[in-house]
Amino acid sequence: GENVEQHPSTLSVQEGDSAVIKCTYSDSASNYFPWYKQELGKRPQLIIDIRSNVGEKKDQRIAVTLNKTAKHFSLHITETQPEDSAVYFCAASGTSYGKLTFGQGTILTVHP
Amino acid sequence: DAGVIQSPRHEVTEMGQEVTLRCKPISGHDYLFWYRQTMMRGLELLIYFNNNVPIDDSGMPEDRFSAKMPNASFSTLKIQPSEPRDSAVYFCASSLSSIGEQYFGPGTRLTVT
């Protein structure tokens, strides 16, 4: 099955800096790569996703890049704010229709 | 829509007892997912349904776990008998299609003593 590795496990930045989280996946058939944000005690919520026919997608301060050849994708957050502090999860679809495999998560802390 | 609804929000039970978690997906969503979240293992998919039919239950840890979806608006996850290592937050999620946003419920925090 699909295996997703996520790095780093923790990331600390100053407000206004950029943050980058990276994920690698094992199944070359994966075609959908979402990113979820989970605030403390809350449910995961989708913040951005990308499909395998696109190399990059941007939504305001967040962007995701995908390198299918290398089987890795990254989340970029610019001009970070304290409210960006949360756990971020990447995921990949694998070959099972509808099934997502999640990375282990990255705890992002943005210091004011 | 109220979003995905889960009950109970918190459950504390003793080892050996039966536990039933409930989920109401968003109306019109054809896919329903059950996840378990722990610090050690992260977010794990247990089972998912398409049009009320179980598609993949390979994540169900063992025979003590079972899930049903008797209709499009209701699903249950049952643990019998429960063990302390089952303590976790259990999320239900639903989606319109196989590829696309999954909407998570608020979760059920299960503690087995």
Side-chain angles (χ1 to χ4, degrees):
Chain A
E2 176 64 279
N3 183 49
V4 177
E5 299 285 335
Q6 182 172 346
H7 299 281
S9 56
T10 61
L11 181 58
S12 184
V13 300
Q14 289 295 128
E15 182 177 0
D17 288 349
S18 295
V20 180
I21 303 170
K22 299 181 179 181
C23 290
T24 60
Y25 61 98
S26 61
D27 191 341
S28 57
S30 284
N31 60 4
Y32 176 64
F33 307 90
W35 286 88
Y36 283 80
K37 175 183 180 182
Q38 185 177 27
E39 297 177 355
L40 189 63
K42 301 285 183 64
R43 72 194 78 185
Q45 291 187 294
L46 180 75
I47 54 170
I48 195 167
D49 57 11
I50 191 168
R51 304 194 182 216
S52 59
N53 58 345
V54 175
E56 183 174 359
K57 184 177 178 181
K58 194 172 183 180
D59 183 5
Q60 300 184 331
R61 295 187 298 109
I62 61 173
V64 57
T65 59
L66 172 64
N67 183 327
K68 287 176 57 181
T69 303
K71 290 191 283 189
H72 67 70
F73 56 112
S74 301
L75 177 71
H76 305 254
I77 306 175
T78 59
E79 300 173 23
T80 54
Q81 301 167 2
E83 49 266 39
D84 294 329
S85 297
V87 181
Y88 291 80
F89 294 94
C90 64
S93 59
T95 52
S96 293
Y97 208 58
K99 182 176 180 176
L100 288 178
T101 300
F102 283 84
Q104 285 297 96
T106 296
I107 302 172
L108 173 65
T109 304
V110 180
H111 299 280
Chain B
D1 202 313
V4 176
I5 299 172
Q6 290 186 249
S7 64
R9 295 292 307 277
H10 302 274
E11 177 80 34
V12 180
T13 191
E14 292 184 346
M15 182 174 63
Q17 296 298 305
E18 177 179 297
V19 176
T20 299
L21 311 182
R22 297 171 176 80
C23 175
K24 176 179 167 55
I26 293 172
S27 176
H29 282 192
D30 291 334
Y31 286 81
L32 184 139
F33 307 84
W34 281 101
Y35 290 92
R36 177 173 67 175
Q37 186 174 37
T38 62
M39 288 295 293
M40 290 298 295
R41 301 178 66 89
L43 197 57
E44 303 173 276
L45 178 66
L46 300 177
I47 184 171
Y48 76 96
F49 297 82
N50 177 213
N51 292 324
N52 313 338
V53 176
I55 302 301
D56 187 334
D57 66 354
S58 59
M60 296 287 260
E62 49 199 273
D63 291 345
R64 298 184 297 107
F65 285 69
S66 63
K68 293 181 180 180
M69 192 165 186
N71 57 62
S73 59
F74 184 66
S75 177
T76 59
L77 178 67
K78 186 176 293 186
I79 308 173
Q80 166 63 15
S82 57
E83 297 182 3
R85 59 194 168 119
D86 300 331
S87 297
V89 178
Y90 290 81
F91 287 103
C92 174
S94 70
S95 68
L96 270 172
S97 64
S98 60
I99 298 295
E101 181 170 3
Q102 292 185 15
Y103 294 82
F104 283 75
T108 295
R109 181 173 295 277
L110 173 65
T111 303
V112 183
T113 60

